[in-house]
Amino acid sequence: MTVLRLLKTPPVHKDYSATGVAAGDSARIVAARTTGIVTEAQARHGASPTVTAALGRLLTGALLMGSSLRGKERITLQVQGKGPAGALIADVVAGGRVRGYPMRPRAELPLNAGGKFDVSGIVGDGFLHVTRTFDTGVPYTSAVPLASGEIGDDLAHFFAHSEQVPTVVAVGVLANPQGVLAAGGFIAQLLPGADEKTIEFLEKNARSLPQVSSLIRRGLSPEDIVAQVGHALEPRITHLQPAAFSCSCNRNRVVRALIGLGPQELEAMAAAENDTEATCDFCGQRYFFSPQEIRDILDSAGEAKEASQE
Ligand code: ZN
């Protein structure tokens, strides 16, 4: 009974991921619906349609890559492109909590020749940096040149060249000027000891499917997508996980960041007439501190320093 309850599909409007195995447990397939996450990212950052498509694909990729994170593990994706959007950053922690931001949210380009958002144009040439932070807090970063700037290709290129794991990646955002209509994606990759032919099957299945955002738009669930990508390889769902845009910032963390600026900066803020405003890059949350509050932070930081010297 427990298993049945765990595998019960969440309501249709909720974002979540489905993880499965196929080909005798030699391949893993993860699919996700991220429409709500991308809608929220668009609203929080006031992002243009093309930047929303680029960031939405990256957020979806991060969520898919982070589907098996535990404890304090984290994956951070940084697209450092030379295009108008500047850098794009997304990170994911255990429990399907993902967040991200574009450096220049309002950058925009005309639709490309195919009538699609010009994601590769707005990203430009550059590098994809992938940082895996282990439960111990130790980070490990590797970087690959961007394959096309379309994000999905870049993630597949990273898996093939940096991690030597044959992987099929599809991430997509369907939007119109009014907003995000559907977003989602899938990753299919071989597990150690897999037959190399399995990846050809997975690639063939992936190529035969319509764009992943239109599958989501049609109402296919992440489980349906796992089944389609693993077609003829006896796919089996192993777990479902909720997914959401979620930022770990809070007032205490902002206070610590302010202390990190040093006493001179804080003195200047305490002497100012206006409140000091600090904005979280990841989620756009604004925090305000009156000159008196800055004074209190200065005093408490001074006391903490004295205490640590005793
Ligand atoms: Zn935040």
Side-chain angles (χ1 to χ4, degrees):
M1 279 311 281
T2 313
V3 172
L4 281 175
R5 196 163 61 242
L6 278 173
L7 290 178
K8 194 163 166 260
T9 302
V12 77
H13 59 278
K14 289 268 189 191
D15 287 349
Y16 69 99
S17 65
T19 299
V21 288
D25 295 0
S26 71
R28 179 171 50 226
I29 306 170
V30 187
R33 179 169 57 219
T34 56
T35 312
I37 289 168
V38 180
T39 301
E40 184 164 348
Q42 196 275 332
R44 283 181 175 274
H45 299 301
S48 72
T50 307
V51 171
T52 299
L55 179 65
R57 291 181 191 180
L58 193 68
L59 286 163
T60 302
L63 180 76
L64 295 166
M65 287 173 69
S67 65
S68 52
L69 294 180
R70 306 211 186 291
K72 290 184 186 154
E73 292 171 340
R74 171 187 300 275
I75 296 174
T76 305
L77 304 179
Q78 272 194 64
V79 172
Q80 296 283 358
K82 294 190 190 119
L88 302 168
I89 293 138
D91 80 4
V92 59
V93 293
R97 288 174 291 147
V98 66
R99 61 181 186 164
Y101 66 95
M103 194 166 277
R104 296 195 206 103
R106 295 186 206 286
E108 188 53 304
L109 286 176
L111 297 179
N112 65 21
K116 308 266 184 205
F117 294 122
D118 189 358
V119 170
S120 67
I122 212 144
V123 168
D125 293 334
F127 286 84
L128 166 68
H129 300 255
V130 177
T131 303
R132 293 183 187 274
T133 305
F134 300 101
D135 205 22
T136 53
V138 177
Y140 176 78
T141 300
S142 46
V144 290
L146 294 173
S148 69
E150 293 283 344
I151 310 297
D153 295 346
D154 305 313
L155 293 172
H157 181 73
F158 164 78
F159 280 113
H161 293 271
S162 188
E163 307 217 321
Q164 273 99 44
V165 181
T167 306
V168 182
V169 181
V171 284
V173 175
L174 193 64
N176 66 16
Q178 283 70 51
V180 177
L181 301 173
F186 63 81
I187 282 185
Q189 62 188 181
L190 298 189
L191 296 170
D195 183 340
E196 292 287 324
K197 284 210 178 85
T198 304
I199 198 72
E200 290 169 26
F201 260 100
L202 293 167
E203 279 168 354
K204 190 163 124 293
N205 286 345
R207 271 198 307 273
S208 73
L209 292 174
Q211 293 206 321
V212 66
S213 55
S214 51
L215 295 178
I216 299 281
R217 174 74 166 154
R218 284 187 213 167
L220 268 74
S221 68
E223 299 95 306
D224 295 334
I225 295 172
V226 169
Q228 300 229 358
V229 175
H231 175 69
L233 295 171
E234 297 182 17
R236 172 169 70 79
I237 300 291
T238 54
H239 69 277
L240 304 180
Q241 176 168 265
F245 190 104
S246 168
C247 188
S248 53
C249 70
N250 59 45
R251 200 170 171 87
N252 280 341
R253 286 184 185 204
V254 178
V255 167
R256 285 207 292 277
L258 288 173
I259 291 169
L261 295 175
Q264 277 187 333
E265 283 282 326
L266 287 172
E267 283 289 358
M269 292 173 190
E273 273 180 35
N274 298 326
D275 287 358
T276 293
E277 180 186 336
T279 306
C280 173
D281 285 336
F282 273 103
C283 70
Q285 175 72 45
R286 296 157 81 197
Y287 296 89
F288 294 92
F289 298 88
S290 68
Q292 183 57 49
E293 284 173 312
I294 296 287
R295 174 66 54 201
D296 293 343
I297 291 169
L298 253 171
D299 291 348
S300 65
E303 281 164 23
K305 203 172 173 192
E306 277 170 28
S308 69
Q309 281 169 346
E310 277 168 9

